[in-house]
Amino acid sequence: MSVQLSRHQYQVITLWYLVQHSLASYHKLVNHFGHIDAVLDPKNLMQWSTLKIHKNHIERAREFQQPDSQAQFQTLIDIICHQCDFVCTTQDPHYPQQLLHYSDCPPILLGQGCADLLNTPQISIVGSRKASKAGMQISYDFSYFLAEAGFTITSGLASGVDQAAHDAALQHHRTIAVIATGIDTTYPKSNTSLKEQILRHKGAIVTEFLPFTPPLQHHFPRRNRIVSGLSLAVLVTQASLNSGSLITAKAAAEQGKLIFATPGHIYDAHYQGCHQLIRDGAILVDHPTQILEDIALPTHWHIEKNASQTELPQSSSDIPIHLSATYHALSWQGQDLDEIFAKTQIPTSTLLSNLMELELEGLCVQQFGLYFKHTLSSV
């Protein structure tokens, strides 16, 4: 387990460290100076205060060149290099393309395990940390079925529903845990074994937080917006009215994602959150095939008689070299030609030719002027 940082990745980590994971300060500085090189130039440090950057960030930047601060930062870099399997900024090709649509997408993701899973079609399953036996069983059954159908199951490595969802999906090597701490920390500690199992079964652990970051309360809503942002849809299997999974559902609604909820007994407080979601417009489901049916049209996913025959998208090595850049610019949500051109800068005539070839290869589908990344299956 080790990773080599590029110069750009090192710079992003540096700025992310100085602004203490503040998206607002990070983007304000980059937008003002135009490039991260200029942001980190000591000569421009005096200008930080004119941008209404938090005083803690300014003070942290001023002290950054001191020996003690440099030693602490180098320790952080060493942990990243030795404990991460991958690091990706928004400029890296393996950064999850589905997150790039959102203004609050994290500037960097650090992870362990299989980075290729980040760009696979995902469904997030979330719910109560104190799930009942029935809630755990529902979460496990839905996760197992959807993973067997070829979806990566994304959740938050919490106790209860998250744990059941990960447990089921790792049987098919298709689960991602988004955590609210640094990669060097497991929270809750009781899920240390689960984390190891996920990595052993070719899953992935991912975070936007740098090492030494503890599980602070305000980090969990940030974690949740990544869970929903990565996914095509969010399923809430059991939740009370004060469950954190409702924050995930709210983020999903703001992102325009499909939200599903399983119902429970009307007098069971553990399901009142699910019932509230259904009243607010979430789709009631009592079987995972209903989820497949609802997402099949927008994602062009093939529902098969034998779901276990469904394959994951082809690996990068299977894509013809001249089509690779075009294919990786595609997303599961669909984009028009201008959006794909903006990502690739490939001349329009060549881009259209590439897209047509990808369609013929079964790797792209066009509908209503939008191009969708597609999965080959044995239908």
Side-chain angles (χ1 to χ4, degrees):
M1 181 185 294
S2 63
V3 66
Q4 294 281 336
L5 295 176
S6 69
R7 182 172 183 274
H8 179 70
Q9 289 170 343
Y10 187 91
Q11 289 176 313
V12 172
I13 291 170
T14 302
L15 182 54
W16 199 225
Y17 172 80
L18 294 178
V19 300
Q20 298 168 285
H21 306 113
S22 169
L23 280 166
S25 293
Y26 183 94
H27 290 303
K28 188 179 290 184
L29 287 164
V30 173
N31 290 338
H32 177 79
F33 289 102
H35 196 279
I36 198 166
D37 280 334
V39 177
L40 297 174
D41 190 331
K43 293 183 295 185
N44 292 328
L45 182 59
M46 295 303 294
Q47 295 185 45
W48 282 34
S49 57
T50 67
L51 301 177
K52 298 182 179 179
I53 300 298
H54 196 285
K55 63 180 181 180
N56 288 350
H57 304 159
I58 296 172
E59 186 63 26
R60 193 176 176 91
R62 285 174 177 163
E63 295 176 353
F64 185 61
Q65 298 303 325
Q66 298 299 317
D68 288 349
S69 295
Q70 282 290 300
Q72 184 178 9
F73 183 70
Q74 186 57 50
T75 300
L76 180 145
I77 292 294
D78 290 343
I79 290 175
I80 292 173
C81 290
H82 290 100
Q83 295 193 23
C84 288
D85 292 310
F86 60 89
V87 172
C88 51
T89 71
T90 54
Q91 293 186 10
D92 294 319
H94 55 291
Y95 186 92
Q97 299 298 297
Q98 60 272 40
L99 291 183
L100 294 175
H101 296 283
Y102 310 116
S103 59
D104 64 350
C105 70
I108 193 165
L109 290 172
L110 303 96
Q112 296 174 339
C114 181
D116 288 344
L117 285 178
L118 296 177
N119 281 291
T120 58
Q122 299 167 46
I123 295 175
S124 62
I125 298 180
V126 296
S128 174
R129 285 182 170 86
K130 299 178 180 179
S132 65
K133 288 184 178 179
M136 294 285 281
Q137 189 64 57
I138 290 169
S139 305
Y140 188 97
D141 291 345
F142 270 74
S143 178
Y144 190 95
F145 184 99
L146 293 169
E148 189 175 48
F151 289 96
T152 298
I153 303 301
T154 302
S155 198
L157 201 69
S159 302
V161 165
D162 289 17
Q163 182 176 352
H166 289 308
D167 273 337
L170 64 82
Q171 307 303 318
H172 300 288
H173 311 293
R174 293 171 182 164
T175 193
I176 296 172
V178 185
I179 60 176
T181 66
I183 204 72
D184 57 324
T185 303
T186 302
Y187 180 84
K189 285 192 177 297
S190 58
N191 274 348
T192 298
S193 176
L194 173 60
K195 183 178 180 180
E196 293 170 353
Q197 289 276 344
I198 290 172
L199 297 177
R200 194 174 300 125
H201 287 79
K202 302 179 182 178
I205 310 292
V206 65
T207 182
E208 68 176 317
F209 297 108
L210 298 174
F212 307 126
T213 303
L216 301 177
Q217 186 174 0
H218 63 277
H219 289 169
F220 290 93
R222 293 184 57 159
R223 184 255 339 245
N224 294 349
R225 101 243 190 226
I226 297 176
V227 170
S228 60
L230 286 170
S231 306
L232 294 165
V234 172
L235 168 65
V236 183
T237 53
Q238 187 181 58
S240 60
L241 285 173
N242 62 355
S243 172
S245 59
L246 300 190
I247 298 175
T248 309
K250 182 177 183 292
E254 292 170 350
Q255 293 165 343
K257 303 297 178 70
L258 288 172
I259 304 169
F260 299 94
T262 57
H265 196 288
I266 61 171
Y267 294 127
D268 189 342
H270 291 97
Y271 282 96
Q272 288 180 357
C274 290
H275 296 160
Q276 182 63 54
L277 288 173
I278 292 167
R279 285 195 296 275
D280 291 341
I283 302 168
L284 185 155
V285 290
D286 56 22
H287 195 279
T289 55
Q290 296 161 346
I291 295 177
L292 296 184
E293 290 165 359
D294 280 336
I295 68 174
L297 179 60
T299 63
H300 300 276
W301 189 265
H302 288 302
I303 303 172
E304 305 179 37
K305 292 181 180 178
N306 185 356
S308 63
Q309 292 179 340
T310 309
E311 298 175 0
L312 280 171
Q314 292 186 338
S315 67
S316 299
S317 61
D318 295 328
I319 309 298
I321 294 175
H322 70 287
L323 300 177
S324 179
T326 305
Y327 177 75
H328 288 298
L330 298 173
S331 74
W332 305 104
Q333 283 80 18
Q335 301 164 96
D336 61 27
L337 191 63
D338 290 339
E339 290 177 292
I340 301 171
F341 172 78
K343 287 183 178 181
T344 63
Q345 297 299 306
I346 295 174
T348 304
S349 58
T350 304
L351 189 57
L352 283 169
S353 175
N354 289 353
L355 289 167
M356 184 176 294
E357 193 170 344
L358 286 170
E359 284 190 73
L360 293 173
E361 293 285 339
L363 296 168
C364 171
V365 174
Q366 181 193 176
Q367 188 177 45
F368 307 121
L370 298 179
Y371 294 89
F372 297 79
K373 181 179 284 189
H374 192 44
T375 300
L376 285 177
S377 67
S378 56
V379 177

